[in-house]
Amino acid sequence: MMESGVPICNTCGEQVGLDKNGEFFVACRDCNFPICMACVEFELKEGRKVCLRCGSPYDENSLVNAHAKASEARSTMASHLEAPQQDVGIHARQISSASTVDSEYKDEHGNPIWRNRVESWKNKKSKKNKAPAKAKLETEILPEQLMEEKQTAEAAADTFSTAIPISKYKLRPYRIVIIMRLIILALFFHYRVTNPVDSAYGLWLTSIICEVWFAFSWVLDQFPKWSPINRTTYIDRLTARYEREGEPSELAAVDFFVSTVDPLKEPPLITANTVLSILAVDYPVDKVSCYVSDDGAAMLTFESLVETADFARKWVPFCKNFSIEPRAPEFYFSQKIDYLKDKIQPSFVKERRAMKRDYEEFKVRVNALVAKAQKTPEDGWTMQDGTPWPGNNPRDHPGMIQVFLGNTGAQDIEGNELPRLVYVSREKRPGYQHHKKAGAENALVRVSAVLTNAPYILNLDCDHYVNNSNAVREAMCFLMDPVVGRDVCYVQFPQRFDGIDRSDRYANRNTVFFDVNMKGLDGIQGPVYVGTGCVFYRQALYGYGPPSMPSIQKNSSSDCSCCCLTKKKPAKDLSEVYRDAKREDLNSAIFNLHEIDNYDDYERSMLISRMSFEKTFGLSSVFIESTLMENGGVPDSANPSMLIKEAIHVISCGYEEKTEWGKEIGWIYGSVTEDILTGFKMHCRGWRSIYCMPIRPAFKGSAPINLSDRLHQVLRWALGSVEIFLSRHCPLWYGFGGGRLKWLQRLAYINTIVYPFTSLPLVAYCTIPAICLLTGKFIIPTLSNLASMLFLGLFLSIIVTSVLELRWSGVSIEEWWRNEQFWVIGGVSAHLFAVFQGFLKMLAGVDTNFTVTAKAADDAEFGELYMFKWTTVLIPPTTLLVVNLVGVVAGFSDALNKGYDAWGPLFGKVFFAFWVILHLYPFLKGLMGRQNRTPTIVVLWSVLLASVFSLVWVKIDPFVSDADSGAAAQVCISIDC
């Protein structure tokens, strides 16, 4: 374990000290295990003369010599720590000779320096024949001694986080009810299958198929929530360990990614607030860099970022001086709270008024830029120096990078350094596939690796601002935790939103998913990646596996374990064997160049050639070397101008050709929901993720609150799931090699890609009540007492499961009900269209888009909630509503005509129909708009559908039998006579 370049003893937690040569004390030269002199002496006295990690015997002669010079080493170490110029920071694992200048990468013979290092490392492989002896010695260590040493090391390590399982008094009844519900479901299906309805066989069979699918979907959704957990962090411990008073901060650096495309759809003021909240985050300024990706190459975005950088010089010191929350000015000044609470500085009121005035002026300047951008000049945009804007053609322009803050010398009004702010617009040319957001994120990964190379990456959508200034520290409590941090690929925060109506009519908050499902996944292998508010470990994005995971065996396909429930282990195909081989090669490439120079044996046993690196990462020596530095950082000798030139190179549109970008490394291509794919690939490699839910939400964003926009958002998510289902990355068959994905985690991923297909049985099931009411038939025969008890038990188990779930999760019953309602609304509309659109796109190559047309608007509070935009996605739920309403009316009419005996069978049918209507009620309110202002298009549709079903009803004529109709005809004839 390294701390500020000084190894920390894994047993006592103290610094290991220096040996007689003034170098860090190393007891074991085979694995470089960090342990201090005092602990080694204690081990020798106890008779344990082998390394705790690898089992190699200690060199007692060197230990004695080192002990003789202990006092001299201590004094040398003290002077070493006092020298700020020495390279002992957290980024000590750097390539000292790395630079963008080609000559700096060559030796006197013209060969690349890093290749010579690699070749010298390869020559040492013949010396690594000690593994059998090490294994033999390791088996001789007593298990009791190993356990005692492990417990001592763990007790000494101060963890920064704790996993808190749900109380057994809440979780045990929950699990018992789930098992009981499974048993009742089995009995229910036995009854349903063995008691067919001959008079309505088609309806009965359809209902059976639908119910089986619903049960399958419930299993996929329920069992990943088997072991939910909560987590708590200890920021004070993190600060005490990595931010000692009087010493430079040793916290890891973080690169922030903010992505935007069209500033006319994503207002620059919102993006500016996101950037300002990042620049003002409570974290060392030299550890923060913000990269803004402008994928539309809009001059409006560039100019608004110039204004943002200028305003940040005032905003950042104001936030830090007065501990402002949140640190996005638009949302800070608009919150309706007592802003004087907990403020004790007399100057705060004056400073706040001045800052609010400055922000209003900043808004005016940005709004003026937006107004100017509404009409594009015929000759295109020109910059202030008179040169044409390079991005006048957003589909054909060069790559652009501009560094606004950071090392450029810009300081705040108090003379303090500001975090780095970088504008990035990747190159785009016709004929190249750019892969939308995933491609933009991968471009940012490469640019940031060249310019700053922070070991961690935090990505945010342009409308998600930092709501908790300690959010990064919360994530570091997991990523830098000595116990769990090594195997964590990312820390995911829940999404929280502003501007949603109090009743959350369309379940925009998605509370059930973020507060129930994600907690359940955190107890398995970690939450899924949801596209924003996530802190990544950079090495995990490069396709490497976790350090603690053993290598995948390539020799025999039968060695790979399977995550499924069957005992037979399926053999891998050749393509998966090749992928495993590539993954092992990538894992072997994680090494420390500093240690290679010193000929330590800590490095891996295998290294791929430079050509393999270039096939994987692309033709950039600077970027390739950055991928080999686990702790990140760039060399001090690097030329900034040449780094910018190299950064322009790595965002060229042809850089990713014939590489593994988007296939095995970075954000994965192949779906509009690239977030699911990216997280899935990491979990398949054996990484785990962490779900962090601080009391104050880490990030907040905006969500579409009107019906049409919400459905189109859900449509895009569902379409991405269908694309994954039809791709090679489908969890049903991908990632079985190595057994690194836990089977409950696989169930969760299967659920994320099959849920759109639930729309097909759901539409059929919601239509059945209307058909039953119109035809007088039903899908269930007359119930016996036993069958009635079975149905009652099923309903009670569903209710009790939900109640117990709400109990341990803390979700309110209103939020749960909104989620249930929108599950039906989205299922019969957006999910249905996503299935057909996905099959057309993936199988036939037809890309179908559904237009959205605004019909009404309102300027009042939550006026957007009542905005109605007609789209074809609204047709299926509208039809289901009308059909079921007509069916209810027809059913009551039929019961009135038939008399008392007809009311009993009517109850089940009407209850079924009302179940559909209640779930679609928010949709009906969305169609109606505010109060009674119903759009004309809805009236026309309702009249049309009602007329059609009325004609069908007259044709069926179920009220009068043939005999009765003949009698009625005779009466009419006699009356006419």
Side-chain angles (χ1 to χ4, degrees), residues 506 707-716 718-719 755-760 762-764 766 821-837 850 870-881 919-920 923 927:
Y506 306 123
L707 178 61
S708 305
D709 289 345
R710 172 68 167 140
L711 287 179
H712 274 265
Q713 181 189 55
V714 175
L715 170 62
R716 188 180 68 84
L719 176 60
Y755 78 89
F757 297 97
T758 306
S759 60
L760 299 175
L762 187 59
V763 170
C766 290
Q821 287 180 314
F822 198 79
W823 176 76
V824 176
I825 295 172
V828 299
S829 56
H831 298 172
L832 181 66
F833 277 82
V835 171
F836 289 106
Q837 186 178 358
F850 303 100
W870 178 254
T871 171
T872 49
V873 176
L874 302 179
I875 295 177
T878 304
T879 304
L880 286 175
L881 266 174
H919 279 79
L920 294 177
F923 176 83
L927 293 182

Side-chain angles (χ1 to χ4, degrees), residues 389-426:
W389 172 248
N392 277 323
N393 186 349
R395 299 181 181 179
D396 187 3
H397 65 86
M400 296 177 283
I401 296 177
Q402 176 66 48
V403 181
F404 290 107
L405 302 174
N407 294 341
T408 60
Q411 297 177 333
D412 62 27
I413 58 176
E414 297 181 356
N416 299 317
E417 183 183 354
L418 288 169
R420 187 189 302 251
L421 176 61
V422 184
Y423 169 87
V424 179
S425 182
R426 57 181 173 145

Side-chain angles (χ1 to χ4, degrees), residues 580-596:
D580 291 342
K582 293 290 291 181
R583 190 178 303 134
E584 183 177 354
D585 290 342
L586 288 173
N587 290 340
S588 67
I590 300 181
F591 63 95
N592 186 291
L593 293 180
H594 179 71
E595 291 175 351
I596 291 175

Side-chain angles (χ1 to χ4, degrees), residues 479-495:
L479 294 168
M480 300 184 72
D481 190 288
V483 178
V484 301
R486 288 176 56 84
D487 293 337
V488 176
C489 56
Y490 62 81
V491 175
Q492 178 66 61
F493 291 88
Q495 291 186 21

Side-chain angles (χ1 to χ4, degrees), residues 215 470 656 792 844:
N470 283 318
E656 293 184 355
L792 182 61

Side-chain angles (χ1 to χ4, degrees), residues 90 112 168 176 231 296 359 361 381 420 540 555 647 669 791:
I90 193 169
K168 62 180 181 180
I176 292 175
R231 294 185 184 271
Y359 178 64
E361 294 174 357
W381 299 104
R420 187 189 302 251
N555 298 331
Y669 304 149
F791 275 80

Side-chain angles (χ1 to χ4, degrees), residues 8-320:
I8 301 300
C9 177
N10 272 31
T11 301
C12 66
E14 299 293 332
Q15 296 176 347
V16 298
L18 303 180
D19 59 14
K20 64 179 181 179
N21 298 322
E23 299 178 353
F24 295 126
F25 173 73
V26 178
C28 178
R29 296 289 178 178
D30 291 313
C31 69
N32 201 22
F33 182 68
I35 186 170
C36 67
M37 175 78 68
C39 293
V40 172
E41 292 177 352
F42 177 77
E43 294 293 323
L44 294 176
K45 290 179 180 178
E46 293 293 322
R48 296 187 287 267
K49 300 182 180 182
V50 295
C51 176
L52 299 179
R53 175 187 285 175
C54 65
S56 301
Y58 290 132
D59 186 357
E60 297 188 31
N61 293 329
S62 62
L63 295 179
V64 171
N65 294 333
H67 180 64
K69 301 287 185 177
S71 59
E72 179 183 354
R74 292 191 188 97
S75 61
T76 306
M77 190 173 102
S79 62
H80 177 82
L81 291 174
E82 292 173 0
Q85 302 295 331
Q86 198 161 354
D87 183 18
V88 293
I90 193 169
H91 302 309
R93 295 186 176 187
Q94 297 176 350
I95 307 172
S96 59
S97 61
S99 172
T100 53
V101 185
D102 293 340
S103 61
E104 294 180 16
Y105 283 104
K106 313 250 184 191
D107 59 11
E108 62 268 21
H109 302 292
N111 297 321
I113 293 175
W114 80 280
R115 176 184 289 181
N116 293 340
R117 294 177 177 178
V118 169
E119 292 299 329
S120 64
W121 189 33
K122 286 182 177 180
N123 294 333
K124 294 165 52 186
K125 293 174 64 176
S126 59
K127 302 178 182 179
K128 296 183 178 180
N129 299 322
K130 303 177 181 179
K134 292 179 183 178
K136 183 178 180 180
L137 287 171
E138 187 173 359
T139 56
E140 294 175 359
I141 303 176
L142 294 178
E144 294 81 6
Q145 295 176 349
L146 288 176
M147 183 63 69
E148 180 183 352
E149 292 156 1
K150 183 178 179 181
Q151 291 175 352
T152 305
E154 291 180 353
D158 238 349
T159 60
F160 309 139
S161 62
T162 303
I164 305 175
I166 303 297
S167 171
K168 62 180 181 180
Y169 300 106
K170 295 181 179 180
L171 204 57
R172 187 177 298 167
Y174 177 66
R175 292 173 174 173
I176 292 175
V177 172
I178 291 174
I179 299 300
M180 291 177 60
R181 185 171 171 180
L182 272 178
I183 297 172
I184 294 174
L185 267 177
L187 297 175
F188 170 79
F189 282 120
H190 177 268
Y191 170 80
R192 294 281 281 125
V193 171
T194 56
N195 292 271
V197 181
D198 296 330
S199 59
Y201 190 81
L203 291 176
W204 170 82
L205 183 61
T206 302
S207 66
I208 289 292
I209 296 174
C210 294
E211 289 162 0
V212 169
W213 179 266
F214 294 152
F216 171 69
S217 300
W218 172 76
V219 170
L220 292 180
D221 180 70
Q222 187 67 66
F223 278 91
K225 297 181 284 189
W226 186 260
S227 301
I229 62 172
N230 293 313
R231 294 185 184 271
T232 184
T233 56
Y234 307 103
I235 297 180
D236 54 340
R237 296 182 185 177
L238 180 78
T239 302
R241 181 160 185 174
Y242 292 106
E243 291 187 299
R244 294 188 175 94
E245 186 176 356
E247 298 181 9
S249 174
E250 299 167 5
L251 291 172
V254 181
D255 288 336
F256 286 78
F257 292 175
V258 179
S259 56
T260 182
V261 180
D262 187 353
L264 298 180
K265 294 181 179 179
E266 300 165 332
L269 191 61
I270 299 299
T271 304
N273 273 269
T274 300
V275 172
L276 289 169
S277 68
I278 292 172
L279 298 178
V281 73
D282 185 13
Y283 209 69
V285 292
D286 59 323
K287 308 288 186 179
V288 176
S289 300
C290 179
Y291 293 82
V292 180
S293 171
D294 178 17
D295 221 30
M299 186 173 174
L300 173 57
T301 303
F302 180 83
E303 290 182 331
S304 64
L305 214 56
V306 174
E307 294 289 346
T308 303
D310 184 62
F311 179 70
R313 299 177 64 247
K314 304 175 183 178
W315 175 251
V316 172
F318 172 74
C319 291
K320 294 188 176 182

